[in-house]
Amino acid sequence: MAKYLDRSADKASQQMIKQAEKDSVQLAWDRLEAMQPQCGFGELGICCKNCKMGPCRIDPFGEGAQVGVCGANVDTIVARNLLQHIAVGAAAHSDHGRDVAHTLSLVGNGHAHDYGISDSIKLKEIAKIYEIKTEGKKDLELAREVAEKALSEFGQQHGELKFASRAPEKRAELWRKLGIMPRGIDREIVESLHRVHMGVDNDYKNIIMHGLRCSLGDGWGGSMIATDLQDIMLGSPKPIRSKVNLGVLKEDHVNVVVHGHEPTLSEMAVKASSDPELLELAKKQGAKGINLVGMCCTANEILMRHGVHTAGNFLQQELAILTGSVEVMMVDVQCIMPALTNLASCFHTEVITTSPKLKFPGVRHIEFKEERAYEVAKSIIRRAVENYKKRDKNRVNIPKEIMDLVAGFTAEQVKTILGGRFRSTYRPLNDAIISGRIRGIAGVVGCNNPKIKHDWAHIEMVKELIKNDVIVLQTGCSAIACAKAGLMTPEAAMEYAGPGLREVCETVGLPPVLHVGSCVDNARILIAAAEVVKEGGLGEDISDLPAAGAAPEWMSQKAISIGTYFMASGVFTVFGGDPPVLGSKNVTDYLCNELEGIVGAKFAFEEDPIKAARMMIEHIDKKRAALKLTPSMRAKV
Ligand code: BF8
C-alpha cells in the first residue's frame, strides 16, 4: 500500500502526506521511520537514568543485570518511570488550571478588563462547592474569592481537594481508606518526584498507589479547575454546529491557526479576527477576510464555546503548514512539535510563541499578558494580515475535505438536552441505560501517535461502540478524529448507531458521539459519571456503572495521567498502545488485574481497536448483569 494511505485514515491528511513525499519534506511519520529500531529497553520501561550511577537497564531475557547499580529491581524501575509520567501529565494539566485561576483572580481584582464573568450561575455553583457564601455578593467579588480558593488548592498541604467532594460518597470514602485522596494538587506532584528520586520508594505497589493519588489531583483538581473556571469566565458551552478538517482553511482569506491548549489568548484571537480595523487591513492586502481556525485542544476550546472551525488534530499540525496557506500559527503550550519551525521556514508561515513556558530558538515571541490580552491578540492577528502578501499562491494546496459536526456538550447540558428545560435531570439518561436502549457509556479520548494509523483506531473503536448501543463521550484529538469521520452529527445515529441508541438519538436530535471538549474537559466526563450515580438506579459508585474508557492512539504523559484518574475513579480503561510497563510482570499484573479488587477498575492494553471496543462492551455487560439490568437491545457483541 502507498505510504500515505498507510499513515492516515483521513483523506485530507493522506493528500498532504503525499504532497510532503513529493516535496521531500520530513513529517512525524518519517522521523519515526528514521528512529527505527526504537530503544527496546525504553519501550518496556526498564531503563533508569534517575541518578549518575546509571543509566541502568535490566536485561529483559533474564541473562544480564537484573538490578540497577543501586539495587533497584525491574518492578521498582518500571513503577517509578510510570509515576514520573503521571506526575508530568498531571503537572501539565494542573499548571493550565493554575493559569486559568490566576486569570480569574485578575478579573475579580479588576486587572484583566478584556475578560468578564460569562456564567454567573456556574460561578455560584462552584462558590458553593468551595463553601463560599454567595448571598449579596457581586460576581466580581465572588470571582475573586473562588479564584483564591482554587489557587490555594494547588499548594494545600493537608485535608482534601474540595472538588473531590463531587465524586460519589462511596468513592471518596474508598480514596480515604486507601490513603489516595489527593491533599493538594502540587503536593502530590512534588511527592511523586520525591518518591522517584534515587533511594526513596522502591515498593512498586506503593509507588503506583501514589500515582493514583497524583492523577486524582489532576482529574478532580487541576483539570477540573481549568474546565470550571474557564466556563465561568469564557462561558459554558452549549450544543453548537461547526466544521472540521483542513478544508476549513481558505484560499482567499488570511489564515490564522491557533494551536495548543489554554483558551485565554485564543479567546481574544477569535475576537480580534473580526476586529473592523484588521478586516479593513486584510482587504487592503487583497484578502477577503480573516479566517481563524483551531488545532488540537485549543481548537476544542474555541469550538465548544464559539463554533470556530477546527483545522485538525495533533498529527495535522505539520500538514496545515504544508498547505502553504497559513499566515500565522500561534502557539501556547503542550503538543507543539519542535519540528514546526523548520517546516514553517520552507513557507511564508510565521510560528509565533506566546507563553514564557514555550519558546523556540530564533522564533518570534509575542508574550501573552492577561492584563492586555486583546492588545496582544490583535498584534498577532495583525502580523498574520501583513504576512498575507508573502503567500506564494502557486504553492497553496488546501484539501477539500470538510465535515459538519455538533459540539458543545457538557455534564450540565446532558440534563437539559435529555431532561428538557423545565425538568433538567439525568433521569432520562439513567432510564435509557436501565431499559437497555443505551447499553452503556464510553469515554474515548486522547491523542494521535504516528505509530498507529492516524485517526483509524479512534474511528474504528467508536463505530464499534455505537453500533452496539454504547453512547460515546469524546475529548481531545480523539474527538477531532471522529468529527472528521462524520460521527458527530445527529444524522450519524441513523447510519452508525445500534437500534437502541438510534432511538434515543432520534428522539432528541442527539449525535451518538458527543464532543465534550479538550483534554482538561475529561473532568466533564467525571462529573457526568458522578451525576449518573447520584441520579440513582445504577449502583452507588462510578465502578458500578456500565461504563468504560479508552485512549486508542495515546502518546502524551497527560494521557497516562487521564487514564490513571479514570481508573482510580472506577472506570475500566483500555490503552491502544502499550504504556511502557510491560518489562515488569508484577507491575503489569498489578495494573491489569489486582487493582480491580482494590479500586474496582483496572487497565487493559490492546492495539486492535475492535478487540478493545469488545473488551469495553464485555465489561459494560458484566456491570449490567451485576446491576441486574435487562440485557441491552443487542444481546451479543
Ligand atoms: O490535550 S492536543 S495530542 S495531549 S489529545 Fe493528546 Fe491532542 Fe495533545 Fe491532551 Ni489534547
mmCIF file of all heavy atoms in Angstrom, residues 539-569:
data_model
loop_
_atom_site.group_PDB
_atom_site.id
_atom_site.type_symbol
_atom_site.label_atom_id
_atom_site.label_comp_id
_atom_site.label_asym_id
_atom_site.label_seq_id
_atom_site.Cartn_x
_atom_site.Cartn_y
_atom_site.Cartn_z
ATOM 1 N N GLY A 539 -26.400 1.776 40.769
ATOM 2 C CA GLY A 539 -25.343 1.497 41.741
ATOM 3 C C GLY A 539 -24.983 2.712 42.571
ATOM 4 O O GLY A 539 -25.592 3.780 42.439
ATOM 5 N N GLU A 540 -23.964 2.512 43.389
ATOM 6 C CA GLU A 540 -23.605 3.571 44.345
ATOM 7 C C GLU A 540 -22.254 4.205 44.057
ATOM 8 O O GLU A 540 -21.797 5.084 44.775
ATOM 9 C CB GLU A 540 -23.550 2.976 45.763
ATOM 10 C CG GLU A 540 -24.899 2.520 46.255
ATOM 11 C CD GLU A 540 -24.763 1.715 47.534
ATOM 12 O OE1 GLU A 540 -23.639 1.528 48.039
ATOM 13 O OE2 GLU A 540 -25.808 1.286 48.034
ATOM 14 N N ASP A 541 -21.588 3.693 43.052
ATOM 15 C CA ASP A 541 -20.235 4.178 42.792
ATOM 16 C C ASP A 541 -19.998 4.184 41.280
ATOM 17 O O ASP A 541 -20.691 3.466 40.532
ATOM 18 C CB ASP A 541 -19.218 3.242 43.485
ATOM 19 C CG ASP A 541 -17.821 3.836 43.538
ATOM 20 O OD1 ASP A 541 -17.610 4.924 42.959
ATOM 21 O OD2 ASP A 541 -16.939 3.203 44.147
ATOM 22 N N ILE A 542 -19.006 4.957 40.846
ATOM 23 C CA ILE A 542 -18.689 5.002 39.412
ATOM 24 C C ILE A 542 -18.311 3.606 38.916
ATOM 25 O O ILE A 542 -18.634 3.219 37.792
ATOM 26 C CB ILE A 542 -17.551 6.027 39.147
ATOM 27 C CG1 ILE A 542 -18.036 7.452 39.474
ATOM 28 C CG2 ILE A 542 -17.068 5.963 37.698
ATOM 29 C CD1 ILE A 542 -16.960 8.534 39.421
ATOM 30 N N SER A 543 -17.657 2.832 39.781
ATOM 31 C CA SER A 543 -17.240 1.483 39.369
ATOM 32 C C SER A 543 -18.433 0.542 39.181
ATOM 33 O O SER A 543 -18.278 -0.545 38.632
ATOM 34 C CB SER A 543 -16.263 0.897 40.385
ATOM 35 O OG SER A 543 -16.859 0.896 41.664
ATOM 36 N N ASP A 544 -19.630 0.932 39.622
ATOM 37 C CA ASP A 544 -20.821 0.106 39.385
ATOM 38 C C ASP A 544 -21.416 0.361 37.997
ATOM 39 O O ASP A 544 -22.228 -0.430 37.509
ATOM 40 C CB ASP A 544 -21.927 0.431 40.423
ATOM 41 C CG ASP A 544 -21.502 0.062 41.833
ATOM 42 O OD1 ASP A 544 -20.681 -0.869 41.965
ATOM 43 O OD2 ASP A 544 -21.974 0.712 42.792
ATOM 44 N N LEU A 545 -21.057 1.470 37.384
ATOM 45 C CA LEU A 545 -21.729 1.874 36.135
ATOM 46 C C LEU A 545 -21.322 1.000 34.953
ATOM 47 O O LEU A 545 -20.168 0.572 34.862
ATOM 48 C CB LEU A 545 -21.368 3.329 35.786
ATOM 49 C CG LEU A 545 -21.765 4.410 36.779
ATOM 50 C CD1 LEU A 545 -21.257 5.770 36.288
ATOM 51 C CD2 LEU A 545 -23.275 4.437 36.960
ATOM 52 N N PRO A 546 -22.262 0.782 34.018
ATOM 53 C CA PRO A 546 -21.869 0.136 32.763
ATOM 54 C C PRO A 546 -21.128 1.157 31.900
ATOM 55 O O PRO A 546 -21.711 1.795 31.013
ATOM 56 C CB PRO A 546 -23.208 -0.299 32.143
ATOM 57 C CG PRO A 546 -24.256 0.481 32.832
ATOM 58 C CD PRO A 546 -23.701 1.072 34.082
ATOM 59 N N ALA A 547 -19.870 1.347 32.211
ATOM 60 C CA ALA A 547 -19.086 2.405 31.561
ATOM 61 C C ALA A 547 -17.639 1.949 31.405
ATOM 62 O O ALA A 547 -17.159 1.105 32.165
ATOM 63 C CB ALA A 547 -19.138 3.687 32.396
ATOM 64 N N ALA A 548 -16.968 2.514 30.400
ATOM 65 C CA ALA A 548 -15.556 2.181 30.177
ATOM 66 C C ALA A 548 -14.879 3.359 29.501
ATOM 67 O O ALA A 548 -15.553 4.231 28.936
ATOM 68 C CB ALA A 548 -15.443 0.927 29.311
ATOM 69 N N GLY A 549 -13.537 3.367 29.561
ATOM 70 C CA GLY A 549 -12.781 4.449 28.928
ATOM 71 C C GLY A 549 -11.702 3.886 28.028
ATOM 72 O O GLY A 549 -11.316 2.725 28.153
ATOM 73 N N ALA A 550 -11.215 4.717 27.102
ATOM 74 C CA ALA A 550 -10.135 4.268 26.219
ATOM 75 C C ALA A 550 -9.354 5.445 25.664
ATOM 76 O O ALA A 550 -9.886 6.542 25.495
ATOM 77 C CB ALA A 550 -10.711 3.453 25.061
ATOM 78 N N ALA A 551 -8.089 5.191 25.388
ATOM 79 C CA ALA A 551 -7.231 6.153 24.685
ATOM 80 C C ALA A 551 -6.518 5.360 23.584
ATOM 81 O O ALA A 551 -5.412 4.870 23.788
ATOM 82 C CB ALA A 551 -6.245 6.798 25.646
ATOM 83 N N PRO A 552 -7.168 5.213 22.411
ATOM 84 C CA PRO A 552 -6.659 4.266 21.407
ATOM 85 C C PRO A 552 -5.367 4.701 20.719
ATOM 86 O O PRO A 552 -4.644 3.862 20.206
ATOM 87 C CB PRO A 552 -7.798 4.179 20.385
ATOM 88 C CG PRO A 552 -8.924 5.014 20.894
ATOM 89 C CD PRO A 552 -8.439 5.834 22.031
ATOM 90 N N GLU A 553 -5.094 6.011 20.634
ATOM 91 C CA GLU A 553 -3.887 6.445 19.930
ATOM 92 C C GLU A 553 -3.038 7.351 20.830
ATOM 93 O O GLU A 553 -2.404 8.288 20.370
ATOM 94 C CB GLU A 553 -4.263 7.185 18.633
ATOM 95 C CG GLU A 553 -5.052 6.348 17.644
ATOM 96 C CD GLU A 553 -5.397 7.067 16.344
ATOM 97 O OE1 GLU A 553 -4.735 8.058 15.982
ATOM 98 O OE2 GLU A 553 -6.361 6.619 15.677
ATOM 99 N N TRP A 554 -3.014 7.067 22.103
ATOM 100 C CA TRP A 554 -2.382 7.967 23.073
ATOM 101 C C TRP A 554 -0.876 8.103 22.798
ATOM 102 O O TRP A 554 -0.247 7.218 22.247
ATOM 103 C CB TRP A 554 -2.597 7.446 24.493
ATOM 104 C CG TRP A 554 -1.714 6.288 24.822
ATOM 105 C CD1 TRP A 554 -1.915 4.979 24.488
ATOM 106 C CD2 TRP A 554 -0.467 6.339 25.509
ATOM 107 N NE1 TRP A 554 -0.878 4.215 24.927
ATOM 108 C CE2 TRP A 554 0.032 5.022 25.559
ATOM 109 C CE3 TRP A 554 0.275 7.364 26.101
ATOM 110 C CZ2 TRP A 554 1.243 4.703 26.162
ATOM 111 C CZ3 TRP A 554 1.485 7.047 26.696
ATOM 112 C CH2 TRP A 554 1.957 5.726 26.723
ATOM 113 N N MET A 555 -0.313 9.232 23.209
ATOM 114 C CA MET A 555 1.139 9.383 23.133
ATOM 115 C C MET A 555 1.690 10.246 24.279
ATOM 116 O O MET A 555 2.843 10.143 24.627
ATOM 117 C CB MET A 555 1.595 9.940 21.769
ATOM 118 C CG MET A 555 1.125 11.342 21.422
ATOM 119 S SD MET A 555 2.166 12.643 22.086
ATOM 120 C CE MET A 555 1.051 14.026 22.033
ATOM 121 N N SER A 556 0.900 11.113 24.892
ATOM 122 C CA SER A 556 1.491 12.071 25.831
ATOM 123 C C SER A 556 1.389 11.590 27.279
ATOM 124 O O SER A 556 0.572 10.728 27.611
ATOM 125 C CB SER A 556 0.796 13.437 25.698
ATOM 126 O OG SER A 556 -0.384 13.449 26.446
ATOM 127 N N GLN A 557 2.221 12.185 28.137
ATOM 128 C CA GLN A 557 2.149 11.863 29.566
ATOM 129 C C GLN A 557 0.781 12.237 30.131
ATOM 130 O O GLN A 557 0.286 11.622 31.062
ATOM 131 C CB GLN A 557 3.241 12.609 30.339
ATOM 132 C CG GLN A 557 4.657 12.208 29.983
ATOM 133 C CD GLN A 557 5.335 13.264 29.141
ATOM 134 O OE1 GLN A 557 4.745 13.816 28.208
ATOM 135 N NE2 GLN A 557 6.584 13.553 29.441
ATOM 136 N N LYS A 558 0.181 13.289 29.558
ATOM 137 C CA LYS A 558 -1.149 13.704 30.041
ATOM 138 C C LYS A 558 -2.157 12.575 29.856
ATOM 139 O O LYS A 558 -3.049 12.380 30.689
ATOM 140 C CB LYS A 558 -1.625 14.951 29.289
ATOM 141 C CG LYS A 558 -0.820 16.189 29.620
ATOM 142 C CD LYS A 558 -1.402 17.411 28.934
ATOM 143 C CE LYS A 558 -1.262 17.299 27.451
ATOM 144 N NZ LYS A 558 -2.009 18.317 26.710
ATOM 145 N N ALA A 559 -2.011 11.834 28.749
ATOM 146 C CA ALA A 559 -2.942 10.728 28.500
ATOM 147 C C ALA A 559 -2.780 9.650 29.564
ATOM 148 O O ALA A 559 -3.765 9.016 29.974
ATOM 149 C CB ALA A 559 -2.709 10.151 27.103
ATOM 150 N N ILE A 560 -1.545 9.450 30.046
ATOM 151 C CA ILE A 560 -1.340 8.448 31.104
ATOM 152 C C ILE A 560 -1.995 8.926 32.398
ATOM 153 O O ILE A 560 -2.646 8.161 33.109
ATOM 154 C CB ILE A 560 0.166 8.173 31.336
ATOM 155 C CG1 ILE A 560 0.780 7.636 30.047
ATOM 156 C CG2 ILE A 560 0.369 7.193 32.491
ATOM 157 C CD1 ILE A 560 2.186 7.100 30.184
ATOM 158 N N SER A 561 -1.850 10.227 32.672
ATOM 159 C CA SER A 561 -2.487 10.759 33.877
ATOM 160 C C SER A 561 -4.017 10.622 33.782
ATOM 161 O O SER A 561 -4.676 10.205 34.736
ATOM 162 C CB SER A 561 -2.082 12.232 34.078
ATOM 163 O OG SER A 561 -2.687 12.741 35.237
ATOM 164 N N ILE A 562 -4.547 10.936 32.604
ATOM 165 C CA ILE A 562 -6.007 10.829 32.414
ATOM 166 C C ILE A 562 -6.467 9.380 32.610
ATOM 167 O O ILE A 562 -7.418 9.106 33.352
ATOM 168 C CB ILE A 562 -6.418 11.318 30.998
ATOM 169 C CG1 ILE A 562 -6.156 12.823 30.848
ATOM 170 C CG2 ILE A 562 -7.891 10.994 30.713
ATOM 171 C CD1 ILE A 562 -6.190 13.306 29.396
ATOM 172 N N GLY A 563 -5.779 8.452 31.939
ATOM 173 C CA GLY A 563 -6.151 7.036 32.058
ATOM 174 C C GLY A 563 -6.091 6.594 33.512
ATOM 175 O O GLY A 563 -6.959 5.842 33.977
ATOM 176 N N THR A 564 -5.095 7.086 34.238
ATOM 177 C CA THR A 564 -4.936 6.667 35.639
ATOM 178 C C THR A 564 -6.055 7.234 36.513
ATOM 179 O O THR A 564 -6.598 6.536 37.365
ATOM 180 C CB THR A 564 -3.546 7.084 36.170
ATOM 181 O OG1 THR A 564 -2.555 6.644 35.241
ATOM 182 C CG2 THR A 564 -3.263 6.469 37.525
ATOM 183 N N TYR A 565 -6.426 8.507 36.274
ATOM 184 C CA TYR A 565 -7.517 9.006 37.146
ATOM 185 C C TYR A 565 -8.873 8.445 36.749
ATOM 186 O O TYR A 565 -9.753 8.313 37.589
ATOM 187 C CB TYR A 565 -7.506 10.529 37.324
ATOM 188 C CG TYR A 565 -7.903 11.427 36.159
ATOM 189 C CD1 TYR A 565 -9.178 11.423 35.612
ATOM 190 C CD2 TYR A 565 -6.998 12.358 35.662
ATOM 191 C CE1 TYR A 565 -9.531 12.283 34.583
ATOM 192 C CE2 TYR A 565 -7.337 13.228 34.624
ATOM 193 C CZ TYR A 565 -8.611 13.177 34.080
ATOM 194 O OH TYR A 565 -8.962 14.026 33.057
ATOM 195 N N PHE A 566 -9.037 8.079 35.468
ATOM 196 C CA PHE A 566 -10.268 7.351 35.097
ATOM 197 C C PHE A 566 -10.322 6.050 35.917
ATOM 198 O O PHE A 566 -11.320 5.739 36.543
ATOM 199 C CB PHE A 566 -10.250 7.001 33.603
ATOM 200 C CG PHE A 566 -10.921 8.001 32.681
ATOM 201 C CD1 PHE A 566 -11.022 9.338 32.998
ATOM 202 C CD2 PHE A 566 -11.467 7.589 31.466
ATOM 203 C CE1 PHE A 566 -11.632 10.244 32.144
ATOM 204 C CE2 PHE A 566 -12.080 8.484 30.593
ATOM 205 C CZ PHE A 566 -12.153 9.809 30.937
ATOM 206 N N MET A 567 -9.208 5.315 35.873
ATOM 207 C CA MET A 567 -9.163 4.019 36.556
ATOM 208 C C MET A 567 -9.329 4.200 38.070
ATOM 209 O O MET A 567 -10.119 3.499 38.712
ATOM 210 C CB MET A 567 -7.838 3.328 36.214
ATOM 211 C CG MET A 567 -7.661 1.951 36.785
ATOM 212 S SD MET A 567 -6.513 2.019 38.142
ATOM 213 C CE MET A 567 -4.962 1.925 37.294
ATOM 214 N N ALA A 568 -8.619 5.169 38.638
ATOM 215 C CA ALA A 568 -8.717 5.393 40.087
ATOM 216 C C ALA A 568 -10.114 5.875 40.489
ATOM 217 O O ALA A 568 -10.508 5.776 41.644
ATOM 218 C CB ALA A 568 -7.663 6.402 40.531
ATOM 219 N N SER A 569 -10.865 6.388 39.499
ATOM 220 C CA SER A 569 -12.240 6.822 39.785
ATOM 221 C C SER A 569 -13.236 5.686 39.576
ATOM 222 O O SER A 569 -14.432 5.859 39.789
ATOM 223 C CB SER A 569 -12.622 8.007 38.879
ATOM 224 O OG SER A 569 -11.744 9.085 39.095
#
